[in-house]
Amino acid sequence: MVNNTVTETCIGQHALVTGGHGFVGRAVVAELLRRGARVTVVDRVPFPETDGVTSVVGELTDPAVLDEAVAEGLTGVIHLAAVTSVLKSAEDPQATFEVNV
């Protein structure tokens, strides 16, 4: 029998989740919080007010947004923000590359 229980904690950790308002991002944020981490979310849409979460709204390509999001003591980055539309990526591959990479 396999035990799939994850017991690792993130107490004392501070993670930055880009694209944290998306489907996968919300699940990642919830799991980080469950494990005791503080989380900063960067997205175009504000993250719902949640204990332990700081929401930064804006574009990742905006230096002011990055300055606000990348705080001292940050211990990890989970980059989930992306242009997901194939049509938009074909129309503007440079902008897609700037956000997705």
Side-chain angles (χ1 to χ4, degrees):
M1 180 177 227
V2 175
N3 181 353
N4 289 327
T5 304
V6 177
T7 58
E8 293 120 15
T9 66
C10 296
I11 295 171
Q13 304 298 307
H14 182 187
L16 171 62
V17 180
T18 68
H21 192 269
F23 180 76
V24 173
R26 288 189 310 259
V28 168
V29 169
E31 184 62 20
L32 288 166
L33 291 172
R34 187 186 73 75
R35 294 184 186 201
R38 290 180 302 121
V39 180
T40 298
V41 171
V42 179
D43 208 311
R44 294 175 178 162
V45 181
F47 195 82
E49 194 169 316
T50 305
D51 287 343
V53 177
T54 301
S55 181
V56 177
V57 179
E59 295 288 336
L60 288 173
T61 55
D62 181 345
V65 170
L66 288 178
D67 285 346
E68 184 179 349
V70 179
E72 190 170 324
L74 193 64
T75 55
V77 176
I78 301 168
H79 180 49
L80 301 174
V83 174
T84 58
S85 167
V86 173
L87 292 176
K88 285 183 182 177
S89 66
E91 290 169 2
D92 194 351
Q94 181 60 37
T96 301
F97 179 79
E98 289 172 6
V99 172
N100 289 7
V101 176

mmCIF file of all heavy atoms in Angstrom, residues 26-53:
data_model
loop_
_atom_site.group_PDB
_atom_site.id
_atom_site.type_symbol
_atom_site.label_atom_id
_atom_site.label_comp_id
_atom_site.label_asym_id
_atom_site.label_seq_id
_atom_site.Cartn_x
_atom_site.Cartn_y
_atom_site.Cartn_z
ATOM 1 N N ARG A 26 -4.576 28.917 -7.871
ATOM 2 C CA ARG A 26 -5.371 28.901 -6.633
ATOM 3 C C ARG A 26 -5.131 27.627 -5.839
ATOM 4 O O ARG A 26 -5.054 27.654 -4.614
ATOM 5 C CB ARG A 26 -6.856 29.068 -6.957
ATOM 6 C CG ARG A 26 -7.198 30.474 -7.411
ATOM 7 C CD ARG A 26 -8.707 30.690 -7.520
ATOM 8 N NE ARG A 26 -9.379 29.641 -8.280
ATOM 9 C CZ ARG A 26 -9.770 29.742 -9.531
ATOM 10 N NH1 ARG A 26 -9.568 30.854 -10.189
ATOM 11 N NH2 ARG A 26 -10.377 28.746 -10.135
ATOM 12 N N ALA A 27 -4.980 26.508 -6.528
ATOM 13 C CA ALA A 27 -4.705 25.249 -5.837
ATOM 14 C C ALA A 27 -3.315 25.266 -5.195
ATOM 15 O O ALA A 27 -3.134 24.796 -4.069
ATOM 16 C CB ALA A 27 -4.826 24.066 -6.796
ATOM 17 N N VAL A 28 -2.345 25.820 -5.900
ATOM 18 C CA VAL A 28 -0.984 25.920 -5.360
ATOM 19 C C VAL A 28 -0.970 26.832 -4.137
ATOM 20 O O VAL A 28 -0.372 26.500 -3.102
ATOM 21 C CB VAL A 28 -0.001 26.412 -6.444
ATOM 22 C CG1 VAL A 28 1.339 26.793 -5.841
ATOM 23 C CG2 VAL A 28 0.172 25.342 -7.521
ATOM 24 N N VAL A 29 -1.628 27.982 -4.234
ATOM 25 C CA VAL A 29 -1.686 28.911 -3.106
ATOM 26 C C VAL A 29 -2.333 28.232 -1.899
ATOM 27 O O VAL A 29 -1.827 28.327 -0.777
ATOM 28 C CB VAL A 29 -2.431 30.207 -3.488
ATOM 29 C CG1 VAL A 29 -2.723 31.057 -2.254
ATOM 30 C CG2 VAL A 29 -1.633 30.998 -4.507
ATOM 31 N N ALA A 30 -3.444 27.554 -2.118
ATOM 32 C CA ALA A 30 -4.129 26.872 -1.013
ATOM 33 C C ALA A 30 -3.223 25.842 -0.343
ATOM 34 O O ALA A 30 -3.193 25.738 0.887
ATOM 35 C CB ALA A 30 -5.412 26.204 -1.525
ATOM 36 N N GLU A 31 -2.474 25.105 -1.141
ATOM 37 C CA GLU A 31 -1.580 24.078 -0.573
ATOM 38 C C GLU A 31 -0.424 24.719 0.192
ATOM 39 O O GLU A 31 -0.045 24.244 1.261
ATOM 40 C CB GLU A 31 -1.058 23.159 -1.674
ATOM 41 C CG GLU A 31 -0.204 22.021 -1.174
ATOM 42 C CD GLU A 31 -0.921 21.049 -0.237
ATOM 43 O OE1 GLU A 31 -2.175 20.998 -0.232
ATOM 44 O OE2 GLU A 31 -0.223 20.339 0.504
ATOM 45 N N LEU A 32 0.137 25.788 -0.352
ATOM 46 C CA LEU A 32 1.216 26.488 0.362
ATOM 47 C C LEU A 32 0.717 27.026 1.699
ATOM 48 O O LEU A 32 1.404 26.905 2.724
ATOM 49 C CB LEU A 32 1.780 27.615 -0.493
ATOM 50 C CG LEU A 32 2.624 27.186 -1.688
ATOM 51 C CD1 LEU A 32 2.832 28.363 -2.638
ATOM 52 C CD2 LEU A 32 3.959 26.612 -1.236
ATOM 53 N N LEU A 33 -0.466 27.606 1.703
ATOM 54 C CA LEU A 33 -1.044 28.105 2.950
ATOM 55 C C LEU A 33 -1.291 26.973 3.934
ATOM 56 O O LEU A 33 -1.010 27.095 5.130
ATOM 57 C CB LEU A 33 -2.349 28.861 2.676
ATOM 58 C CG LEU A 33 -2.225 30.192 1.952
ATOM 59 C CD1 LEU A 33 -3.610 30.714 1.585
ATOM 60 C CD2 LEU A 33 -1.467 31.210 2.792
ATOM 61 N N ARG A 34 -1.805 25.860 3.431
ATOM 62 C CA ARG A 34 -2.074 24.707 4.290
ATOM 63 C C ARG A 34 -0.797 24.216 4.969
ATOM 64 O O ARG A 34 -0.803 23.787 6.114
ATOM 65 C CB ARG A 34 -2.697 23.572 3.471
ATOM 66 C CG ARG A 34 -3.166 22.381 4.329
ATOM 67 C CD ARG A 34 -3.643 21.233 3.480
ATOM 68 N NE ARG A 34 -2.570 20.530 2.810
ATOM 69 C CZ ARG A 34 -1.710 19.685 3.404
ATOM 70 N NH1 ARG A 34 -1.784 19.465 4.689
ATOM 71 N NH2 ARG A 34 -0.778 19.078 2.700
ATOM 72 N N ARG A 35 0.312 24.352 4.247
ATOM 73 C CA ARG A 35 1.597 23.910 4.793
ATOM 74 C C ARG A 35 2.295 24.980 5.631
ATOM 75 O O ARG A 35 3.393 24.761 6.122
ATOM 76 C CB ARG A 35 2.521 23.477 3.659
ATOM 77 C CG ARG A 35 2.025 22.242 2.950
ATOM 78 C CD ARG A 35 3.008 21.809 1.915
ATOM 79 N NE ARG A 35 2.490 20.721 1.126
ATOM 80 C CZ ARG A 35 3.252 19.902 0.443
ATOM 81 N NH1 ARG A 35 4.561 20.040 0.459
ATOM 82 N NH2 ARG A 35 2.718 18.942 -0.265
ATOM 83 N N GLY A 36 1.670 26.147 5.769
ATOM 84 C CA GLY A 36 2.196 27.164 6.666
ATOM 85 C C GLY A 36 3.011 28.269 6.036
ATOM 86 O O GLY A 36 3.616 29.072 6.748
ATOM 87 N N ALA A 37 3.051 28.361 4.721
ATOM 88 C CA ALA A 37 3.829 29.409 4.049
ATOM 89 C C ALA A 37 3.039 30.716 3.983
ATOM 90 O O ALA A 37 1.810 30.712 4.022
ATOM 91 C CB ALA A 37 4.202 28.978 2.629
ATOM 92 N N ARG A 38 3.762 31.805 3.860
ATOM 93 C CA ARG A 38 3.174 33.081 3.468
ATOM 94 C C ARG A 38 3.275 33.117 1.950
ATOM 95 O O ARG A 38 4.232 32.603 1.379
ATOM 96 C CB ARG A 38 3.944 34.262 4.058
ATOM 97 C CG ARG A 38 3.781 34.401 5.547
ATOM 98 C CD ARG A 38 4.567 35.594 6.109
ATOM 99 N NE ARG A 38 5.999 35.475 5.804
ATOM 100 C CZ ARG A 38 6.700 36.359 5.113
ATOM 101 N NH1 ARG A 38 6.142 37.449 4.626
ATOM 102 N NH2 ARG A 38 7.988 36.172 4.879
ATOM 103 N N VAL A 39 2.303 33.749 1.296
ATOM 104 C CA VAL A 39 2.264 33.728 -0.168
ATOM 105 C C VAL A 39 2.003 35.131 -0.703
ATOM 106 O O VAL A 39 1.149 35.851 -0.186
ATOM 107 C CB VAL A 39 1.155 32.773 -0.679
ATOM 108 C CG1 VAL A 39 1.117 32.752 -2.201
ATOM 109 C CG2 VAL A 39 1.343 31.371 -0.122
ATOM 110 N N THR A 40 2.744 35.490 -1.729
ATOM 111 C CA THR A 40 2.445 36.687 -2.513
ATOM 112 C C THR A 40 1.994 36.205 -3.882
ATOM 113 O O THR A 40 2.659 35.375 -4.500
ATOM 114 C CB THR A 40 3.684 37.595 -2.658
ATOM 115 O OG1 THR A 40 4.082 38.036 -1.360
ATOM 116 C CG2 THR A 40 3.377 38.805 -3.530
ATOM 117 N N VAL A 41 0.855 36.708 -4.322
ATOM 118 C CA VAL A 41 0.297 36.345 -5.629
ATOM 119 C C VAL A 41 0.413 37.549 -6.551
ATOM 120 O O VAL A 41 0.037 38.657 -6.177
ATOM 121 C CB VAL A 41 -1.184 35.925 -5.503
ATOM 122 C CG1 VAL A 41 -1.821 35.772 -6.882
ATOM 123 C CG2 VAL A 41 -1.310 34.647 -4.709
ATOM 124 N N VAL A 42 0.944 37.336 -7.746
ATOM 125 C CA VAL A 42 0.952 38.366 -8.783
ATOM 126 C C VAL A 42 0.056 37.877 -9.908
ATOM 127 O O VAL A 42 0.232 36.769 -10.417
ATOM 128 C CB VAL A 42 2.370 38.608 -9.346
ATOM 129 C CG1 VAL A 42 2.326 39.672 -10.431
ATOM 130 C CG2 VAL A 42 3.316 39.028 -8.250
ATOM 131 N N ASP A 43 -0.916 38.719 -10.256
ATOM 132 C CA ASP A 43 -1.829 38.358 -11.334
ATOM 133 C C ASP A 43 -2.483 39.625 -11.856
ATOM 134 O O ASP A 43 -2.410 40.666 -11.208
ATOM 135 C CB ASP A 43 -2.905 37.379 -10.828
ATOM 136 C CG ASP A 43 -3.431 36.480 -11.930
ATOM 137 O OD1 ASP A 43 -3.793 36.990 -13.005
ATOM 138 O OD2 ASP A 43 -3.483 35.255 -11.721
ATOM 139 N N ARG A 44 -3.115 39.518 -12.999
ATOM 140 C CA ARG A 44 -3.857 40.650 -13.563
ATOM 141 C C ARG A 44 -5.136 40.910 -12.787
ATOM 142 O O ARG A 44 -5.728 41.978 -12.898
ATOM 143 C CB ARG A 44 -4.210 40.373 -15.017
ATOM 144 C CG ARG A 44 -3.019 40.289 -15.921
ATOM 145 C CD ARG A 44 -3.463 39.888 -17.307
ATOM 146 N NE ARG A 44 -2.330 39.836 -18.214
ATOM 147 C CZ ARG A 44 -2.341 39.207 -19.357
ATOM 148 N NH1 ARG A 44 -3.440 38.573 -19.747
ATOM 149 N NH2 ARG A 44 -1.279 39.200 -20.117
ATOM 150 N N VAL A 45 -5.583 39.914 -12.045
ATOM 151 C CA VAL A 45 -6.828 39.984 -11.284
ATOM 152 C C VAL A 45 -6.475 39.871 -9.798
ATOM 153 O O VAL A 45 -5.650 39.043 -9.419
ATOM 154 C CB VAL A 45 -7.750 38.803 -11.686
ATOM 155 C CG1 VAL A 45 -9.059 38.856 -10.932
ATOM 156 C CG2 VAL A 45 -7.982 38.791 -13.181
ATOM 157 N N PRO A 46 -7.088 40.690 -8.931
ATOM 158 C CA PRO A 46 -6.764 40.590 -7.504
ATOM 159 C C PRO A 46 -7.151 39.231 -6.926
ATOM 160 O O PRO A 46 -8.193 38.674 -7.263
ATOM 161 C CB PRO A 46 -7.580 41.704 -6.853
ATOM 162 C CG PRO A 46 -8.375 42.354 -7.910
ATOM 163 C CD PRO A 46 -8.067 41.722 -9.222
ATOM 164 N N PHE A 47 -6.272 38.707 -6.076
ATOM 165 C CA PHE A 47 -6.562 37.453 -5.382
ATOM 166 C C PHE A 47 -7.562 37.759 -4.274
ATOM 167 O O PHE A 47 -7.457 38.795 -3.618
ATOM 168 C CB PHE A 47 -5.267 36.877 -4.789
ATOM 169 C CG PHE A 47 -5.386 35.448 -4.380
ATOM 170 C CD1 PHE A 47 -5.257 34.436 -5.314
ATOM 171 C CD2 PHE A 47 -5.639 35.112 -3.066
ATOM 172 C CE1 PHE A 47 -5.374 33.105 -4.948
ATOM 173 C CE2 PHE A 47 -5.764 33.783 -2.681
ATOM 174 C CZ PHE A 47 -5.622 32.777 -3.627
ATOM 175 N N PRO A 48 -8.535 36.876 -4.040
ATOM 176 C CA PRO A 48 -9.501 37.130 -2.967
ATOM 177 C C PRO A 48 -8.783 37.341 -1.625
ATOM 178 O O PRO A 48 -7.776 36.692 -1.349
ATOM 179 C CB PRO A 48 -10.339 35.847 -2.932
ATOM 180 C CG PRO A 48 -10.157 35.229 -4.272
ATOM 181 C CD PRO A 48 -8.780 35.620 -4.731
ATOM 182 N N GLU A 49 -9.301 38.264 -0.833
ATOM 183 C CA GLU A 49 -8.684 38.554 0.458
ATOM 184 C C GLU A 49 -8.617 37.277 1.292
ATOM 185 O O GLU A 49 -9.628 36.637 1.561
ATOM 186 C CB GLU A 49 -9.491 39.621 1.189
ATOM 187 C CG GLU A 49 -8.749 40.208 2.351
ATOM 188 C CD GLU A 49 -9.440 41.435 2.913
ATOM 189 O OE1 GLU A 49 -9.890 42.283 2.112
ATOM 190 O OE2 GLU A 49 -9.505 41.521 4.137
ATOM 191 N N THR A 50 -7.388 36.897 1.656
ATOM 192 C CA THR A 50 -7.137 35.639 2.366
ATOM 193 C C THR A 50 -6.004 35.867 3.350
ATOM 194 O O THR A 50 -4.987 36.468 2.998
ATOM 195 C CB THR A 50 -6.724 34.535 1.363
ATOM 196 O OG1 THR A 50 -7.726 34.421 0.347
ATOM 197 C CG2 THR A 50 -6.545 33.199 2.038
ATOM 198 N N ASP A 51 -6.156 35.368 4.585
ATOM 199 C CA ASP A 51 -5.070 35.462 5.564
ATOM 200 C C ASP A 51 -3.836 34.777 5.012
ATOM 201 O O ASP A 51 -3.907 33.666 4.484
ATOM 202 C CB ASP A 51 -5.471 34.799 6.889
ATOM 203 C CG ASP A 51 -6.474 35.620 7.676
ATOM 204 O OD1 ASP A 51 -6.623 36.830 7.391
ATOM 205 O OD2 ASP A 51 -7.115 35.052 8.580
ATOM 206 N N GLY A 52 -2.693 35.443 5.142
ATOM 207 C CA GLY A 52 -1.434 34.866 4.696
ATOM 208 C C GLY A 52 -1.087 35.134 3.252
ATOM 209 O O GLY A 52 -0.040 34.716 2.780
ATOM 210 N N VAL A 53 -1.985 35.849 2.523
ATOM 211 C CA VAL A 53 -1.751 36.116 1.105
ATOM 212 C C VAL A 53 -1.698 37.620 0.857
ATOM 213 O O VAL A 53 -2.582 38.358 1.281
ATOM 214 C CB VAL A 53 -2.852 35.498 0.211
ATOM 215 C CG1 VAL A 53 -2.627 35.864 -1.250
ATOM 216 C CG2 VAL A 53 -2.898 33.998 0.379
#
